[in-house]
Amino acid sequence: MVPKNSARTRGRPVGWRKPPLASRPAAPAQTYTVIRWCADADVSRTWVYAQWGAGAGPRHVRVGGRVVVTESPREYFERMAAGVAA
């Protein structure tokens, strides 16, 4: 018998299982770290954080302590061009 707080159960109930994939939320098709997004967009991290400070910039979410960019550089610049043209 496995003890209640062993490394195998990590405090979860003994019969606990992950939910099936169909019931889990779908992950975005492509996500970027800030560094990766900046490299793909050929801009600096300072510029991205300045844009976010001004209420603009690519769409992003905070996951724990990390910032995950959910919008590709192409989508972002197309959205900005459409906003300027409108």
Side-chain angles (χ1 to χ4, degrees), residues 4-86:
K4 191 172 190 175
N5 289 325
S6 74
R8 185 168 152 220
T9 61
R10 293 188 176 95
R12 295 185 298 262
V14 175
W16 187 84
R17 297 277 187 250
K18 287 184 180 179
L21 286 175
S23 65
R24 294 186 210 167
Q30 177 75 35
T31 58
Y32 299 85
T33 63
V34 176
I35 294 172
R36 169 78 187 271
W37 194 91
C38 291
D40 287 355
D42 197 29
V43 297
S44 69
R45 286 177 46 207
T46 304
W47 182 84
V48 172
Y49 280 102
Q51 292 295 307
W52 284 334
R59 293 185 179 110
H60 65 286
V61 293
R62 292 196 176 269
V63 180
R66 297 179 63 173
V67 177
V68 178
V69 181
T70 58
E71 185 174 35
S72 73
R74 180 179 180 178
E75 292 168 341
Y76 171 71
F77 289 116
E78 286 175 354
R79 182 169 56 93
M80 290 297 102
V84 171

